[in-house]
Amino acid sequence: MQGRRASGVIVALLAALWLALACGMALAQAPAEPDYAAWGRFADRAETSVDTGRIGDGQLLQLRAQAVDWRNRLAEAQGINAPRIATVKDQIAALGPAPAEGATESDEVAARRSALNTQLAELQAPSLRAVEGFSRAASLVAAIDEVQRTRQASALTQITPSPLLPGSWAAAATDGMAVARGLVGDFRGRLDAVDGQPPRERLIRSAAYLVLALALLIFARPWIDALPRRLADRLSDHSRDALTFVVSLGQIVIPVTGVYLAVLAVDATGLVGEWGRPILAALPVAALIGFAGRWLSWCFFPLRTDPPICFARPQLEQGRFYATLLAVATAIHHVAGRAILPLGGRYVSEPQAGATIPLRVSDAAAGVWHLPIILLGALALFRLGVVLRGATRVAGQTGRDAKTYRPRVVATVGTIARVVAAIAPLLALAGYVNLANALLWPVALSVALVALVILLQEFIADLYAMAKRDTAGSRDALAPVLIGFALVLASIPVFALIWGARPSELADWWTALRQGVQLGGVRLSPGAILTFVVVFGFGYYLTRVVQGAVRNSILPRTRLDAGAQNAAVSGLGYVGIFLAALLAITSAGIDLSSLAIVAGALSVGIGFGLQNIVSNFVSGIILLVERPVSVGDWIQVGQAQGYVKRISVRSTQIQTFDRTQVIVPNSDLISQHVTNWTRGSTQGRVIVKVGVAYGTDTRRVAEILRDIAEDQPTVLINPAPTVAFVGFSPDSMDFEIRAILSDINGGIGVQTEMRHQIIERFAAEGIQIPFATRDVRIMNAGQMALVPAAAGAAGTGAAGTPGTAQDGAGGTDGGTGTGGPRPPNRPAIPAEAEDPRITRAASSGLEDAAGSQDSGDDGDGDGETR
């Protein structure tokens, strides 16, 4: 029931998303024809600028934005007159195929065909112009992107003076002093401008900001840090993780807000000019990086709760420390690379005015100042990579990490982090400072993003558990898994932005994705895929609802047996799924005729590799239609015997009497001999055999056996049970009870009860049940003598006859069980002294072949046969 509700919720969400997209497309305005003259002038000017290369990066970005705008307008213009074009094509198709070469058609049809073709050409003219313009605009955007990528690659791989050179240290000292003088001079100039007395309003506003900032940073931050731990002790198990995660976000919001208020307090004084303002502008983002990294390290490496990835206690402590250190190094790099130093790993050839300090720090000095930041970040990233790489060795310790792919992903990320952390300082020392920054910090942000995605997946699972009020089974439910997969897909654009992709490029990728991908004559797009999923999901859900209604409401009121009802429900399900798939394919706009070649190729594969699967499928359909076997039947197929539990299109599941499950291919049920004990009726015959000693009154025996059979409650009166005198055996006269039971499933119990009563009644009537006997022969001195078994075969038995095994292989002498000659102190017994009393030794009912067993004294001298 919970699975059906979850599937219903998923289908409802997909349907809502699909309806929203459909309504959005329906509300879109009809495309208008663009101004092709203006487009031509812009395209000529843009192509000339790109070909010459004499254009700045800012102008190049503006040019690209205009080209993308024209491309979008031309793409929309391709749909001009689309409904009318479709109508005219249908009218032309209604006239029939055009006459072949040399053939003619009626003048009226020819005139109508000519008029429709002329009208179609006029309607298609605007869209054809739009297609031509779109192709030119797309090529222009591609050319601009190629120029940008070339410039970015050249800037990132440029070599600068090594930070180890003395000249670089001198330049670093010179530029450092210049920056310090600029900051101090800017502050003094601002202070002198207000004569040491800033306006009263500024002081009040600055003091208010500062008080709020100190309150958040000094008092509120420790309180919010301890709040999740206090809530965890009071919340229930199914809501603890989700609510503490939400509350823990305050560990980012409150301190970042405090830093932002502190920046506003400093800026409100009016004492910060063009030197200090870029640094102040970079501080809030740096605070966000630092505190978010601290929060992420605390959540990913918790010390009091179960971590999302299993780590040992020392690894948790190390991971938390080095992750926080890496966040601090990233925040420092952000401030330095954004406001002060070049070569920060970003391609910015023309920084905006006011974004950096007025001084252009030299590349040599920038390399020296970047080096300690790179070393600090590389050390933290390397040590963090060591911790992450150990995830696969300790995974599964707490049982929380049921998803084995997570430790592998984390371990792989840790390995990449270690490699980059080792390479980045070497690149910086070699003079590739920009490239070192472009590798180190995106890897650090990527590690953080991977950890964030894992935490969000855990949060989604915790929310689902809180909604279901079930902590155990909700974590592996379908809905959290699908949402977690959606989070992974949503993180791909973020990864692209981390590694230098521009938002405009992401927009182009999304546009190309919306247009779809051509695969074998079928164009797949997100809209088509979503339409297919929604329609098929709705059809599948509706099929299950109809199946449930038919199974529970309609079929119980019919005369169909359980097997027929199961076959009807299964057939209804197959038909519903087929119709749902067909409707989904049609709704998604997938042309089935284009799949004819693929279907032909698949038919060859079906004929060879999938022959058994197709045979089982067809056999399953035959079983459901003919119903020679139904669920609940007691059948025997080969060596498998038991009750049918489930019939699917490929196999049939049989539960044997020892409670094991046997999966039988459906083709075996069609091609082999199948014994169905309960098909059509549960009645069946049982036979109980018994033998009596010679001399017993046979008619009395038959009467007793008939009474025993008739006393059984499940034995049918019509036909009545019979007792058959079936023959004479060497030891007994044989009888059989043959009775029809109302339920053959209880046949073993009835037979057992009959045998108990036979023993009791025969004992009361003095009737003996004979059993097989065995003659024991003792051979000695080449003579054969038959002696009583109770007297013993050797030793001190009744006759005291020493025994010798035939051929010296198994007889006993005096109970010793050894073959060979007779001892000299024991005289031989002649054949004339043979005991005339011949007895038959009772056996266990098994008749041994002559000479297969020898009997002798057990060696204790009492004459017993062993």
Side-chain angles (χ1 to χ4, degrees), residues 612-670:
N612 291 333
I613 297 177
V614 175
S615 176
N616 291 327
F617 178 82
V618 175
S619 300
I621 299 299
I622 294 175
L623 290 176
L624 292 175
V625 174
E626 295 185 354
R627 296 186 295 110
V629 174
S630 301
V631 175
D633 288 354
W634 172 13
I635 68 171
Q636 179 176 357
V637 184
Q639 299 298 324
Q641 183 176 182
Y643 293 101
V644 177
K645 289 298 182 182
R646 183 173 180 269
I647 300 177
S648 63
V649 293
R650 191 195 66 83
S651 62
T652 297
Q653 181 179 346
I654 300 176
Q655 180 176 321
T656 62
F657 298 118
D658 55 359
R659 298 299 178 180
T660 59
Q661 304 295 327
V662 178
I663 306 300
V664 179
N666 288 332
S667 58
D668 292 348
L669 297 177
I670 299 298

Side-chain angles (χ1 to χ4, degrees), residues 43 67 137 203 229 238 273 612 614 816 818 843:
L203 290 177
R229 184 173 63 255
H238 58 267
N612 291 333
V614 175
T816 60
T818 60
S843 70

Side-chain angles (χ1 to χ4, degrees), residues 105-483:
E105 58 182 352
S106 63
D107 295 340
E108 183 179 356
V109 174
R112 182 58 179 168
R113 188 186 303 276
S114 177
L116 290 176
N117 287 327
T118 302
Q119 184 179 1
L120 179 62
E122 294 176 354
L123 293 174
Q124 289 179 337
S127 61
L128 294 177
R129 288 196 300 269
V131 170
E132 180 183 359
F134 176 83
S135 176
R136 187 179 183 184
S139 62
L140 179 59
V141 173
I144 296 175
D145 291 339
E146 182 65 25
V147 172
Q148 289 180 328
R149 283 192 292 267
T150 302
R151 293 182 180 181
Q152 184 175 5
S154 177
L156 292 178
T157 57
Q158 68 172 336
I159 187 170
T160 57
S162 173
L164 299 178
L165 297 177
S168 299
W169 286 91
T174 301
D175 290 347
M177 293 298 297
V179 171
R181 287 194 299 268
L183 291 173
V184 174
D186 183 56
F187 177 75
R188 290 179 177 178
R190 290 281 179 167
L191 192 60
D192 294 340
V194 294
D195 297 330
Q197 297 292 334
R200 181 182 181 89
E201 295 79 5
R202 290 186 178 181
L203 290 177
I204 296 176
R205 188 166 62 250
S206 177
Y209 287 146
L210 186 59
V211 169
L212 292 176
L214 293 177
L216 292 177
L217 294 174
I218 297 177
F219 301 103
R221 192 171 68 86
W223 177 81
I224 197 64
D225 288 345
L227 183 59
R229 184 173 63 255
R230 292 197 298 268
L231 288 178
D233 298 334
R234 302 178 181 180
L235 297 174
S236 58
D237 294 337
H238 58 267
S239 61
R240 178 185 300 113
D241 294 335
L243 294 181
T244 53
F245 181 86
V246 174
V247 173
S248 66
L249 293 176
Q251 299 173 1
I252 302 175
V253 176
I254 288 180
V256 171
T257 304
V259 172
Y260 181 71
L261 292 175
V263 169
L264 291 180
V266 175
D267 185 63
T269 60
L271 301 178
V272 180
E274 59 181 355
W275 284 84
R277 192 174 298 277
I279 299 176
L280 285 179
L283 284 179
V285 179
L288 178 62
I289 294 174
F291 288 108
R294 175 177 173 270
W295 168 83
L296 195 60
S297 65
W298 282 27
C299 293
F300 199 77
F301 301 102
L303 300 179
R304 298 179 180 272
T305 59
D306 293 334
I309 300 295
C310 299
F311 291 102
R313 177 74 180 193
Q315 290 179 317
L316 291 175
E317 296 175 351
Q318 294 177 9
R320 173 179 288 195
F321 173 76
Y322 288 113
T324 304
L325 182 62
L326 181 60
V328 173
T330 307
I332 296 175
H333 166 74
H334 175 79
V335 175
R338 288 280 181 177
I340 304 174
L341 302 176
L343 307 179
R346 300 179 301 111
Y347 173 62
V348 182
S349 60
E350 299 177 0
Q352 298 179 357
T356 59
I357 60 176
L359 177 65
R360 176 63 169 87
V361 179
S362 63
D363 293 343
V368 173
W369 289 110
H370 274 300
L371 183 60
I373 306 176
I374 292 175
L375 292 176
L376 178 63
L379 174 63
L381 183 62
F382 185 86
R383 297 300 302 173
L384 180 61
V386 172
V387 174
L388 297 178
R389 192 166 175 266
T392 55
R393 292 193 292 268
V394 296
Q397 288 182 352
T398 64
R400 180 182 178 91
D401 190 16
K403 302 177 178 62
T404 57
Y405 72 90
R406 286 183 180 176
R408 296 178 182 178
V409 171
V410 171
T412 303
V413 170
T415 302
I416 296 174
R418 293 181 61 190
V419 173
V420 173
I423 293 176
L426 298 179
L427 292 175
L429 293 175
Y432 293 97
V433 179
N434 210 7
L435 182 59
N437 285 317
L439 285 176
L440 180 62
W441 308 113
V443 168
L445 294 177
S446 299
V447 171
L449 183 57
V450 170
L452 180 61
V453 170
I454 293 176
L455 289 178
L456 290 178
Q457 289 178 342
E458 288 291 317
F459 175 64
I460 294 299
D462 293 336
L463 281 180
Y464 191 81
M466 184 175 65
K468 291 291 185 179
R469 305 183 68 86
D470 179 18
T471 308
S474 299
R475 186 167 296 277
D476 295 329
L478 178 61
V481 173
L482 293 179
I483 298 176

Side-chain angles (χ1 to χ4, degrees), residues 634 686 741 743-755:
W634 172 13
V686 294
L741 303 184
D743 188 359
I744 191 62
N745 294 303
I748 298 296
V750 174
Q751 289 175 314
T752 301
E753 181 61 26
M754 285 185 180
R755 293 187 179 101

